[in-house]
Amino acid sequence: MSNQKEMAQASNGPAIIPAHIAIIMDGNGRWAKGKGVPLILGHKEGAAALKRVTHHAGILGVKYLTVYAFSSENWRRPQDWIDDLMGLLRFYLKHEVKELLNNNIRLRVIGDKSQFAPDIQNLIEKSENLTENNTGLTLVIALNYGGRKDILQACRNFVNHLTDGYKTFSSLSENMATLNEEEFSSFLYTKDIPDPDLMIRSSGEYRISNFLLWQIAYSELVFSHKLWPDFNEADLDDAIGMYNSRDRRFGAVFAD
Ligand code: IPE
Ligand code: IPE
Ligand code: MG
């Protein structure tokens, strides 16, 4: 098939496919509680939902799918919950690389990886390297990610970059004065990735919880009542359908 539109029509999807979809995959805990099963089972089913949605997004022709898997604030949860989730992350990284390779998916992780156990950091690096030449969907997993921390680390990177090259405070302040949004964006974790066109949050919560704060300035927001483990291909189609019904103006005048 020659373009995204044909691919979307072939799968009965809507006509305009967002290039970048971001998802806050929320509701795993409530799903498990509702079923009376251990919390970790909710996260396992959440990983299965992620596989479904990733596969479907790839078929539709989505270029970037960024998913919030662990926030920089999730360390506030009980240690045994964190340990279980890290176990699941290890399992996912070890066993999914093959599937990512088979499906031509490139993996990228954003967030502060330095707080993870060394073996997890190695698994992330290995998976990113193995899939870096894939040309299909880019799956971006946000791990130990916080939008405010992203902006702060971009500021630090920018200043380090300038002081490396210029050394003096006056040249630093001159460069600060001409810093523009595009240049600043290139210091964020999401450098080289366009801003999300569509952001979805599952589980009926209407908040951003410190996800891509800078990057979602003009994203269309869709909130789903489905708990993340129940989220499926049709729910993604529905969200894209809502995206298609929106009029993106980016601050310009309303056009009939
Ligand atoms: C979201 O599921 C995933 C992570 C935070 C890792 P939750 O664990 O927040 O699920 P709820 O919100 O308690 O239902
Ligand atoms: C956001 O969900 C983080 C992820 C989905 C990974 P949370 O469950 O942590 O957010 P709050 O605490 O309800 O705002
Ligand atoms: Mg939650």
Side-chain angles (χ1 to χ4, degrees), residues 24-35 37-52 67-71 74 77-92 96 143 202-203 227-231:
I24 302 175
M25 308 184 291
D26 197 18
N28 298 337
R30 276 163 282 170
W31 184 92
K33 274 185 198 144
K35 294 231 169 336
V37 298
L39 284 184
I40 193 64
L41 283 187
H43 294 288
K44 272 191 187 150
E45 284 305 315
L50 173 59
K51 283 168 70 171
R52 275 198 299 276
V67 295
Y68 207 8
F70 190 87
S71 79
N74 286 146
R77 296 190 182 196
Q79 192 59 44
D80 55 351
W81 182 93
I82 293 173
D83 292 344
D84 281 352
L85 201 81
M86 292 301 142
L88 192 63
L89 180 57
R90 270 190 191 93
F91 186 87
Y92 182 90
E96 287 312 310
L143 290 172
S202 61
S203 89
L227 299 175
W228 178 250
D230 292 327
F231 204 90

Side-chain angles (χ1 to χ4, degrees), residues 41-186:
L41 283 187
H43 294 288
K44 272 191 187 150
E45 284 305 315
L50 173 59
K51 283 168 70 171
R52 275 198 299 276
V53 167
T54 303
H55 185 72
H56 190 56
I59 289 171
L60 290 176
V62 173
K63 297 284 174 220
Y64 298 90
L65 179 67
T66 302
V67 295
Y68 207 8
F70 190 87
S71 79
S72 48
E73 287 71 38
N74 286 146
W75 298 108
R76 293 176 183 156
R77 296 190 182 196
Q79 192 59 44
D80 55 351
W81 182 93
I82 293 173
D83 292 344
D84 281 352
L85 201 81
M86 292 301 142
L88 192 63
L89 180 57
R90 270 190 191 93
F91 186 87
Y92 182 90
L93 288 167
K94 273 186 198 151
H95 293 88
E96 287 312 310
V97 181
K98 221 171 143 192
E99 178 122 356
L100 297 176
L101 288 169
N102 286 340
N103 290 297
N104 196 22
I105 295 170
R106 183 165 61 138
L107 180 75
R108 193 159 146 188
V109 170
I110 56 168
D112 179 4
K113 294 170 226 178
S114 69
Q115 268 180 278
F116 292 115
D119 71 306
I120 293 186
Q121 293 185 42
N122 287 338
L123 281 169
I124 292 173
E125 207 186 313
K126 221 168 127 187
S127 310
E128 285 181 322
N129 290 341
L130 278 170
T131 61
E132 89 184 327
N133 293 323
N134 287 348
T135 53
L137 175 84
T138 298
L139 173 63
V140 185
I141 305 186
L143 290 172
N144 190 24
Y145 178 89
R148 288 183 171 181
K149 286 195 166 54
D150 194 359
I151 293 167
L152 278 179
Q153 67 84 34
C155 291
R156 285 190 208 105
N157 279 346
F158 175 69
V159 170
N160 287 341
H161 159 82
L162 286 184
T163 47
D164 267 4
Y166 296 91
K167 308 279 185 226
T168 67
F169 184 76
S170 65
S171 60
L172 173 64
S173 58
E174 272 166 36
N175 279 278
M176 288 293 261
T178 55
L179 175 67
N180 62 32
E181 292 178 9
E182 199 187 342
E183 190 183 0
F184 184 75
S185 297
S186 73

